[in-house]
Amino acid sequence: MFVLLKEGVTESEVRGVLDSAEALGVSEASVTRAGKRTMVRVKGGAAEQAVRYERLAGVERVLPSDAPYVLAARATQGCSTEVAVGRALFGGTRVEFIGGPCAVETESQLRTAAEAVAKAGARMLRGGAFKPRTSPYAFQGLGERGLELLRKVADEFELAVVTEVMAPEQAVLVAQYADMLQIGSRSVQNFPLLEAAARTGKPVLLKRGMMSELDEFLASAEYILARGNQQVVLCERGVRSFDKHTRNLLDVMAVPLLKGLTHLPVVVDPSHATGRSELVAPAAYAAVAAGADGLIVEVHDEPEKALSDGRQALRCAEFQALVQTARAIATAIGRCV
Ligand code: PEP
Ligand code: MN
């Protein structure tokens, strides 16, 4: 079972829980810390022993050992988690915008997009340097050169950088350049990658797998939290469906559902959710109306020449128009922008 301790629990109270576990003869008891929370995981104790722990000083509640996630659960923490990335703050009242190309292609392509993104009022730049492509023959990204360009161009416009990390051994390198590590849809259950990203201490943008149930998605987030990194932003990006008119099916209700299940911020990617530029704005507006804490949108100055995902990229002016309308919706539902 999981013995969740109160915020501000003292070391001697933690010790008290461990001593009680030992006295009750459990096979193993270990301490996990994430942000302000501390949890003692007890293996091998009988369920009836829960009340024994509940009475101890510093204990907030006891959860059963089959709970798929504990640290990520809304019940674990009264207030919502706020994740700061550069000037952006996810999980507060503001709706944050992240814009940029699917992939970093050239310095001038990135700069044009970054300039438009900053002008629209967004605080973060996206762009893939390591690209997870379905075909091994498709453009795979510029690798470290792409990371260098992201850092350089983002700094010119005071933007923070989010970019994907695909392999555990890349995590340290990507963290040298990026302000936030993205874990893509295809990697949501790459557990060594989740742990490697967590260990960098950088905020993580965790995208929902195209076939993830919400509980599985939150269990993936729990991997990061359980490694002591609470700076996680969840991203709904559409799930696989049977209809071919859109690339994926945007699960708009995942936003209010997740916000009830977890204290972590939730953003939406209307680009990968729809796969079609003309559907990106309506999907984005629905997401903001449903309570999303932010949007991540693909932007390209010449979508017809893009090396990846041109069909879903917004032109610079289209992104600026999207931000304006999304802000009006955000204001209408009491969010600040
Ligand atoms: C991306 O955002 O660059 C991306 C590849 O998205 P996803 O992992 O959601 O497919
Ligand atoms: Mn893309």
Side-chain angles (χ1 to χ4, degrees):
M1 65 194 85
F2 300 99
V3 183
L4 185 67
L5 305 178
K6 292 181 179 151
E7 272 184 35
V9 66
T10 65
E11 279 312 308
S12 74
E13 287 168 338
V14 176
R15 194 65 254 162
V17 175
L18 292 170
D19 290 346
S20 295
E22 203 182 325
L24 288 166
V26 303
S27 58
E28 196 185 320
S30 55
V31 181
T32 301
R33 292 173 213 274
K36 294 182 192 146
R37 301 316 301 240
T38 306
M39 179 175 83
V40 176
R41 190 167 156 233
V42 176
K43 274 195 200 161
E48 305 78 63
Q49 291 176 353
V51 311
R52 305 278 291 271
Y53 296 106
E54 269 160 2
R55 288 203 204 104
L56 297 174
V59 172
E60 186 167 300
R61 72 178 75 212
V62 179
L63 295 110
S65 55
D66 59 355
Y69 48 89
V70 178
L71 297 169
R74 167 64 76 182
T76 300
Q77 184 176 296
C79 60
S80 296
T81 291
E82 293 188 342
V83 178
V85 191
R87 293 181 296 122
L89 185 68
F90 296 90
T93 52
R94 221 155 63 190
V95 174
E96 293 288 353
F97 298 90
I98 307 170
C102 176
V104 180
E105 299 168 3
T106 66
E107 185 164 343
S108 72
Q109 166 247 15
L110 186 62
R111 184 171 291 108
T112 310
E115 188 174 12
V117 161
K119 229 162 126 189
R123 298 183 179 90
M124 287 189 68
L125 178 66
R126 63 146 291 146
F130 295 100
K131 293 300 304 173
R133 305 304 303 280
T134 303
S135 165
Y137 308 116
F139 175 58
Q140 305 283 309
L142 298 182
E144 189 167 358
R145 174 74 189 134
L147 297 175
E148 285 167 6
L149 291 176
L150 277 166
R151 187 70 271 157
K152 177 177 175 200
V153 171
D155 286 346
E156 288 173 24
F157 298 99
E158 269 189 88
L159 296 167
V161 169
V162 58
T163 193
E164 181 159 352
V165 53
M166 284 172 53
E169 59 275 17
Q170 281 168 0
V172 170
L173 174 74
V174 175
Q176 277 166 18
Y177 294 94
D179 301 293
M180 182 181 221
L181 305 190
Q182 177 174 321
I183 298 202
S185 197
R186 291 152 191 82
S187 301
V188 68
Q189 286 192 319
N190 182 340
F191 304 117
L193 177 61
L194 297 173
E195 292 181 338
R199 278 195 300 269
T200 66
K202 292 270 174 163
V204 176
L205 180 69
L206 180 63
K207 298 191 91 174
R208 181 181 182 184
M210 57 191 87
M211 301 206 293
S212 303
E213 293 178 7
L214 295 182
D215 284 347
E216 292 169 333
F217 186 24
L218 290 169
S220 290
E222 183 86 7
Y223 267 85
I224 303 170
L225 270 53
R227 285 287 172 273
N229 184 341
Q230 224 198 348
Q231 302 294 290
V232 179
V233 175
L234 303 171
C235 179
E236 159 60 33
R237 46 76 74 205
V239 290
R240 274 271 159 98
S241 172
F242 50 85
D243 191 83
K244 294 285 165 272
H245 283 280
T246 55
R247 183 173 178 180
N248 290 293
L249 184 68
L250 176 60
D251 183 1
V252 185
M253 283 308 105
V255 176
L257 280 169
L258 284 169
K259 297 211 60 115
L261 292 168
T262 179
H263 50 84
L264 299 171
V266 180
V267 302
V268 167
D269 172 349
S271 305
H272 293 88
T274 60
R276 294 171 59 167
S277 57
E278 68 275 27
L279 297 179
V280 169
Y285 303 153
V288 173
D293 295 302
L295 295 171
I296 175 164
V297 178
E298 290 190 345
V299 180
H300 200 289
D301 58 331
E302 292 180 291
E304 51 292 334
K305 294 194 186 150
L307 297 181
S308 62
D309 285 352
R311 183 66 188 85
Q312 68 196 32
L314 293 192
R315 292 175 194 283
C316 297
E318 289 171 333
F319 177 71
Q320 290 169 348
L322 178 149
V323 171
Q324 263 192 6
T325 306
R327 286 186 149 164
I329 295 168
T331 309
I333 61 163
R335 311 277 307 232
C336 70
V337 286

